[in-house]
Amino acid sequence: QITLKESGPTLVRPTQTLTLTCTFSGFSLRTNGVGVGWIRQPPGKAPEWLALIYWSDDKRYSPSLQTRLTISQDTSRNQVVLTMTNMDPVDSGTYYCALSTMAARPDWFDPWGHGILVTVSS
Amino acid sequence: SSELTQSPAMSVSPGQTARITCSGDVFPLLYVHWYQQKPGQAPILVIFKDTERPSGIPERFSGSTSGTTVTLTISGVQAEDEADYYCQSADSSSVFWVFGGGTKLTVL
């Protein structure tokens, strides 16, 4: 069974850096074609893709946020970490990680973690 | 263009057919994937690669394509299908992933 779980702070102050960890089981990021992506969703709005890292350490970022994002992996711990700098209240929302496989153009995300609600407020 | 356009909302009675569309210039060049999201829950994949259904998803969910418009069809809608539905693809260069704005399906 494949599971992913997001962890990190639920309250961040404006201008601070957010660090989220995705801990997964049931698959390996050493497997050819496998990736883990981060997607966020402001309350009442559509999901927004943020970043993705593949087994090869190939990293992709949202063009509108790439200067603020860093994604990395720790294959020994089965974790993927996302950092987002200079947080603002508009960055509040639920942050999800999800499994991606390079099986089509483009990849799909399945399954997703339960998500973590992050609030940016002073 | 990297935008995917969905109608914001639709409503159907139980047993009817719901057709949720998603328009984008990347179709049919790229695949579309569809997600269902119920309140307080993470999205779940209901259709991938335009027309394929993951295991465990009821047969009443199907996908189709026609030019630059893709469609998620729910035949014989049930009350439990009330949810938000999102299409997902990518920009034309497949550099980044894109979600549609979502369609809120209400079952009357």
Side-chain angles (χ1 to χ4, degrees), chain A residues 73-90:
Chain A
Q73 60 176 297
D74 184 338
T75 51
S76 64
R77 293 186 175 186
N78 280 351
Q79 291 181 332
V80 170
V81 176
L82 180 76
T83 62
M84 180 180 289
T85 61
N86 194 25
M87 293 293 285
D88 183 271
V90 300

Side-chain angles (χ1 to χ4, degrees), chain A residues 27-44:
Chain A
F27 67 93
S28 172
L29 251 181
R30 296 188 180 95
T31 302
N32 218 19
V34 170
V36 171
W38 283 95
I39 303 108
R40 72 178 179 181
Q41 186 173 28

Side-chain angles (χ1 to χ4, degrees), chain B residues 58-105:
Chain B
E59 291 185 7
R60 63 180 181 272
F61 288 86
S62 63
S64 61
T65 68
S66 179
T68 59
T69 299
V70 294
T71 302
L72 171 69
T73 300
I74 311 173
S75 305
V77 168
Q78 299 183 6
E80 66 200 50
D81 299 330
E82 184 164 288
D84 294 323
Y85 291 87
Y86 298 97
C87 58
Q88 177 245 311
S89 190
D91 71 295
S92 55
S93 301
S94 294
V95 172
F96 59 92
W97 286 254
V98 180
F99 288 87
T103 297
K104 182 176 181 60
L105 175 66

